[in-house]
Every structure is written in C-alpha cells, then in structure tokens.
Amino acid sequence: MPGADRPGKSVRVLLAEDQGMMRGALALLLGMEPDLEVVAQVGSGDEVLGAALEQRPDVALLDIEMPGLSGLEAAALLRDRLPECRVVMVTTFGRPGYLRRAMDAGAAGFVVKDGPVEELAEAVRRVLRGETVIDPALAAAALSAGPNPLTGRERDALNASADGATVADIAVRLRLSESTVRNYLSAAIGKTSTRNRMEAVREARRQGWL
C-alpha cells in the first residue's frame, strides 16, 4: 500500500469539506497524529481530482454534500483516475442509500462526523491496510433498508425535477421524450410511496437514493 512503510508522517491525506471551520479543525486534529499529514484541503467536489492528481494522497476524506460535484461523484473520479488513493466518506448524513452508493463509487470507508477524531484517524490507517471501514449502525441500517429501488434514469428524472422544472424542460435536459419522462417520474413516485414528484425528491434524498 502507498505510504505504508514510510517513517514519520507517512500517510498523506486529502481533506474535502465545504464548511471552512470544520475543514480547518479536522486538518488540525488529524495533523496532530504522528503518522498522518494533511497535504491538501479543498472546499468543493470540483477541486478534489485536481488536488489529488497534484498531491498524490494515500487517502482522501470526502464529505458527501459539497458544492459542485458531490463527494460520491468525486469518489468515482478518484477510483477511475487515481485508483491507488483510498477513499473514506465522512458525513453528517448517515443514510443507508448513501452507503450503498459510496461503495459503488469505490469508497473503502464510510464514517459519520460525530465520532471522535481518533476513530477517523484509525479509519484512515485501516483503509490503507486494505480494510473496509463502515460505521456499524449505518451498516445495519443499510442491510435492513435493502437496495435502492430507483433506476438510474428514474434518479436522473427526479434530480432534474428538483428545481421545479417542467416535464418539457426535463425532457430537453435529459434528451428524452416527454412521455418517457412522465413514465420515469410516475415510477419514482410509486417506488417512494409519495403523492407527487417534489415529495418523491424529498423522500429519495432522505433515504440517500439521490
């Protein structure tokens, strides 16, 4: 594993967190660990890949909800462009659907922010050893919740409708017919047991399916 045998500050860490105060505090605390060095800090998902390619971190700690690309999208980019960099999702949103999507994006760990920094530091070390680290309560919730019932196209249609766009607007955006968009939205509403597409968006987000 990269960095596993280097002495001193051997583990290079990239930290992606949109809240500046939280990012600074995490960087400070992680930097106090004898074997960890925060080599890059970014505040948006769009900055993750560039910083990672420049600094070549061993582990990237990514928040899920950030400006620009989400942490999940950034994790998928790292998986494809810098596969040697292990990814840990660090979030306040312990939603079962997020866990499944994080694993699909190549993340090796998923921890929530309300834990002690020592646990986060240990998660960094463990994923670098090749382990998968998942918050136990979240793992149990994900197992009981089952898989994401929405198809990729149903998620696309819901995401496109989140800003109140009309069916015609969504059809243009997704390059689909209006009838196809209506079918996707109707299916998503049924699967989320809601009454309309805005309720479906809220429920899908609550479950971590979007």
Side-chain angles (χ1 to χ4, degrees), residues 55-71:
Q55 295 295 333
R56 299 283 166 168
D58 301 310
V59 178
L61 301 177
L62 308 182
D63 191 11
I64 286 183
E65 296 194 353
M66 292 187 291
L69 296 176
S70 71

PDB file of all heavy atoms in Angstrom, residues 55-71:
ATOM      1  N   GLN A  55      -1.156  16.300  -5.548  1.00  0.00           N
ATOM      2  CA  GLN A  55      -0.520  15.938  -4.276  1.00  0.00           C
ATOM      3  C   GLN A  55      -0.346  14.437  -4.072  1.00  0.00           C
ATOM      4  O   GLN A  55       0.404  14.005  -3.206  1.00  0.00           O
ATOM      5  CB  GLN A  55      -1.344  16.509  -3.110  1.00  0.00           C
ATOM      6  CG  GLN A  55      -1.377  18.028  -3.057  1.00  0.00           C
ATOM      7  CD  GLN A  55      -0.025  18.623  -2.798  1.00  0.00           C
ATOM      8  OE1 GLN A  55       0.850  17.998  -2.181  1.00  0.00           O
ATOM      9  NE2 GLN A  55       0.190  19.855  -3.260  1.00  0.00           N
ATOM     10  N   ARG A  56      -1.059  13.621  -4.848  1.00  0.00           N
ATOM     11  CA  ARG A  56      -0.956  12.171  -4.759  1.00  0.00           C
ATOM     12  C   ARG A  56      -1.148  11.665  -3.323  1.00  0.00           C
ATOM     13  O   ARG A  56      -0.264  11.022  -2.745  1.00  0.00           O
ATOM     14  CB  ARG A  56       0.394  11.688  -5.290  1.00  0.00           C
ATOM     15  CG  ARG A  56       0.613  12.037  -6.749  1.00  0.00           C
ATOM     16  CD  ARG A  56      -0.178  11.101  -7.641  1.00  0.00           C
ATOM     17  NE  ARG A  56      -0.267  11.604  -9.017  1.00  0.00           N
ATOM     18  CZ  ARG A  56      -0.697  10.876 -10.044  1.00  0.00           C
ATOM     19  NH1 ARG A  56      -1.055   9.613  -9.849  1.00  0.00           N
ATOM     20  NH2 ARG A  56      -0.791  11.385 -11.237  1.00  0.00           N
ATOM     21  N   PRO A  57      -2.307  11.941  -2.720  1.00  0.00           N
ATOM     22  CA  PRO A  57      -2.546  11.472  -1.348  1.00  0.00           C
ATOM     23  C   PRO A  57      -2.724   9.959  -1.312  1.00  0.00           C
ATOM     24  O   PRO A  57      -3.081   9.323  -2.312  1.00  0.00           O
ATOM     25  CB  PRO A  57      -3.846  12.178  -0.959  1.00  0.00           C
ATOM     26  CG  PRO A  57      -4.562  12.353  -2.263  1.00  0.00           C
ATOM     27  CD  PRO A  57      -3.472  12.640  -3.272  1.00  0.00           C
ATOM     28  N   ASP A  58      -2.473   9.390  -0.148  1.00  0.00           N
ATOM     29  CA  ASP A  58      -2.734   7.971   0.062  1.00  0.00           C
ATOM     30  C   ASP A  58      -4.212   7.726   0.352  1.00  0.00           C
ATOM     31  O   ASP A  58      -4.768   6.693  -0.032  1.00  0.00           O
ATOM     32  CB  ASP A  58      -1.908   7.445   1.239  1.00  0.00           C
ATOM     33  CG  ASP A  58      -0.417   7.626   1.022  1.00  0.00           C
ATOM     34  OD1 ASP A  58       0.070   7.232  -0.046  1.00  0.00           O
ATOM     35  OD2 ASP A  58       0.248   8.176   1.914  1.00  0.00           O
ATOM     36  N   VAL A  59      -4.831   8.687   1.052  1.00  0.00           N
ATOM     37  CA  VAL A  59      -6.240   8.573   1.443  1.00  0.00           C
ATOM     38  C   VAL A  59      -6.926   9.909   1.231  1.00  0.00           C
ATOM     39  O   VAL A  59      -6.364  10.964   1.549  1.00  0.00           O
ATOM     40  CB  VAL A  59      -6.379   8.148   2.927  1.00  0.00           C
ATOM     41  CG1 VAL A  59      -7.857   8.070   3.332  1.00  0.00           C
ATOM     42  CG2 VAL A  59      -5.688   6.813   3.177  1.00  0.00           C
ATOM     43  N   ALA A  60      -8.141   9.880   0.684  1.00  0.00           N
ATOM     44  CA  ALA A  60      -8.962  11.076   0.535  1.00  0.00           C
ATOM     45  C   ALA A  60     -10.164  10.971   1.456  1.00  0.00           C
ATOM     46  O   ALA A  60     -10.885   9.965   1.424  1.00  0.00           O
ATOM     47  CB  ALA A  60      -9.419  11.245  -0.908  1.00  0.00           C
ATOM     48  N   LEU A  61     -10.369  11.978   2.290  1.00  0.00           N
ATOM     49  CA  LEU A  61     -11.538  12.053   3.163  1.00  0.00           C
ATOM     50  C   LEU A  61     -12.521  13.012   2.511  1.00  0.00           C
ATOM     51  O   LEU A  61     -12.235  14.209   2.383  1.00  0.00           O
ATOM     52  CB  LEU A  61     -11.145  12.554   4.552  1.00  0.00           C
ATOM     53  CG  LEU A  61     -10.105  11.723   5.304  1.00  0.00           C
ATOM     54  CD1 LEU A  61      -9.759  12.388   6.638  1.00  0.00           C
ATOM     55  CD2 LEU A  61     -10.614  10.313   5.545  1.00  0.00           C
ATOM     56  N   LEU A  62     -13.668  12.505   2.087  1.00  0.00           N
ATOM     57  CA  LEU A  62     -14.613  13.298   1.306  1.00  0.00           C
ATOM     58  C   LEU A  62     -15.950  13.445   2.012  1.00  0.00           C
ATOM     59  O   LEU A  62     -16.557  12.449   2.429  1.00  0.00           O
ATOM     60  CB  LEU A  62     -14.855  12.643  -0.058  1.00  0.00           C
ATOM     61  CG  LEU A  62     -13.639  12.274  -0.916  1.00  0.00           C
ATOM     62  CD1 LEU A  62     -14.110  11.683  -2.235  1.00  0.00           C
ATOM     63  CD2 LEU A  62     -12.765  13.491  -1.154  1.00  0.00           C
ATOM     64  N   ASP A  63     -16.412  14.690   2.140  1.00  0.00           N
ATOM     65  CA  ASP A  63     -17.787  14.918   2.566  1.00  0.00           C
ATOM     66  C   ASP A  63     -18.697  14.548   1.395  1.00  0.00           C
ATOM     67  O   ASP A  63     -18.263  14.563   0.231  1.00  0.00           O
ATOM     68  CB  ASP A  63     -17.960  16.387   2.947  1.00  0.00           C
ATOM     69  CG  ASP A  63     -19.278  16.664   3.648  1.00  0.00           C
ATOM     70  OD1 ASP A  63     -19.969  15.694   4.024  1.00  0.00           O
ATOM     71  OD2 ASP A  63     -19.622  17.840   3.827  1.00  0.00           O
ATOM     72  N   ILE A  64     -19.944  14.212   1.679  1.00  0.00           N
ATOM     73  CA  ILE A  64     -20.847  13.826   0.594  1.00  0.00           C
ATOM     74  C   ILE A  64     -21.448  15.045  -0.091  1.00  0.00           C
ATOM     75  O   ILE A  64     -21.373  15.196  -1.306  1.00  0.00           O
ATOM     76  CB  ILE A  64     -21.963  12.893   1.109  1.00  0.00           C
ATOM     77  CG1 ILE A  64     -21.385  11.506   1.384  1.00  0.00           C
ATOM     78  CG2 ILE A  64     -23.100  12.793   0.094  1.00  0.00           C
ATOM     79  CD1 ILE A  64     -22.400  10.487   1.817  1.00  0.00           C
ATOM     80  N   GLU A  65     -22.043  15.940   0.692  1.00  0.00           N
ATOM     81  CA  GLU A  65     -22.750  17.076   0.108  1.00  0.00           C
ATOM     82  C   GLU A  65     -21.829  18.286   0.082  1.00  0.00           C
ATOM     83  O   GLU A  65     -21.575  18.919   1.105  1.00  0.00           O
ATOM     84  CB  GLU A  65     -24.032  17.354   0.882  1.00  0.00           C
ATOM     85  CG  GLU A  65     -25.025  16.198   0.792  1.00  0.00           C
ATOM     86  CD  GLU A  65     -26.417  16.574   1.248  1.00  0.00           C
ATOM     87  OE1 GLU A  65     -26.589  17.702   1.754  1.00  0.00           O
ATOM     88  OE2 GLU A  65     -27.319  15.750   1.106  1.00  0.00           O
ATOM     89  N   MET A  66     -21.308  18.592  -1.123  1.00  0.00           N
ATOM     90  CA  MET A  66     -20.430  19.737  -1.328  1.00  0.00           C
ATOM     91  C   MET A  66     -20.867  20.497  -2.563  1.00  0.00           C
ATOM     92  O   MET A  66     -21.587  19.962  -3.403  1.00  0.00           O
ATOM     93  CB  MET A  66     -18.980  19.253  -1.514  1.00  0.00           C
ATOM     94  CG  MET A  66     -18.340  18.641  -0.291  1.00  0.00           C
ATOM     95  SD  MET A  66     -16.574  18.299  -0.553  1.00  0.00           S
ATOM     96  CE  MET A  66     -16.654  16.948  -1.743  1.00  0.00           C
ATOM     97  N   PRO A  67     -20.439  21.759  -2.698  1.00  0.00           N
ATOM     98  CA  PRO A  67     -20.725  22.494  -3.938  1.00  0.00           C
ATOM     99  C   PRO A  67     -20.078  21.808  -5.128  1.00  0.00           C
ATOM    100  O   PRO A  67     -19.043  21.151  -4.997  1.00  0.00           O
ATOM    101  CB  PRO A  67     -20.074  23.869  -3.679  1.00  0.00           C
ATOM    102  CG  PRO A  67     -19.920  23.972  -2.203  1.00  0.00           C
ATOM    103  CD  PRO A  67     -19.710  22.571  -1.713  1.00  0.00           C
ATOM    104  N   GLY A  68     -20.685  21.983  -6.297  1.00  0.00           N
ATOM    105  CA  GLY A  68     -20.149  21.330  -7.492  1.00  0.00           C
ATOM    106  C   GLY A  68     -20.420  19.845  -7.441  1.00  0.00           C
ATOM    107  O   GLY A  68     -21.533  19.405  -7.142  1.00  0.00           O
ATOM    108  N   LEU A  69     -19.415  19.052  -7.703  1.00  0.00           N
ATOM    109  CA  LEU A  69     -19.571  17.601  -7.626  1.00  0.00           C
ATOM    110  C   LEU A  69     -19.819  17.176  -6.180  1.00  0.00           C
ATOM    111  O   LEU A  69     -19.264  17.750  -5.245  1.00  0.00           O
ATOM    112  CB  LEU A  69     -18.315  16.900  -8.143  1.00  0.00           C
ATOM    113  CG  LEU A  69     -17.940  17.079  -9.611  1.00  0.00           C
ATOM    114  CD1 LEU A  69     -16.619  16.380  -9.898  1.00  0.00           C
ATOM    115  CD2 LEU A  69     -19.034  16.548 -10.514  1.00  0.00           C
ATOM    116  N   SER A  70     -20.640  16.163  -6.009  1.00  0.00           N
ATOM    117  CA  SER A  70     -20.811  15.593  -4.672  1.00  0.00           C
ATOM    118  C   SER A  70     -19.593  14.748  -4.325  1.00  0.00           C
ATOM    119  O   SER A  70     -18.790  14.395  -5.200  1.00  0.00           O
ATOM    120  CB  SER A  70     -22.065  14.717  -4.626  1.00  0.00           C
ATOM    121  OG  SER A  70     -21.857  13.517  -5.373  1.00  0.00           O
ATOM    122  N   GLY A  71     -19.464  14.421  -3.047  1.00  0.00           N
ATOM    123  CA  GLY A  71     -18.375  13.541  -2.648  1.00  0.00           C
ATOM    124  C   GLY A  71     -18.459  12.189  -3.327  1.00  0.00           C
ATOM    125  O   GLY A  71     -17.428  11.570  -3.632  1.00  0.00           O
TER     126      GLY A  71
END
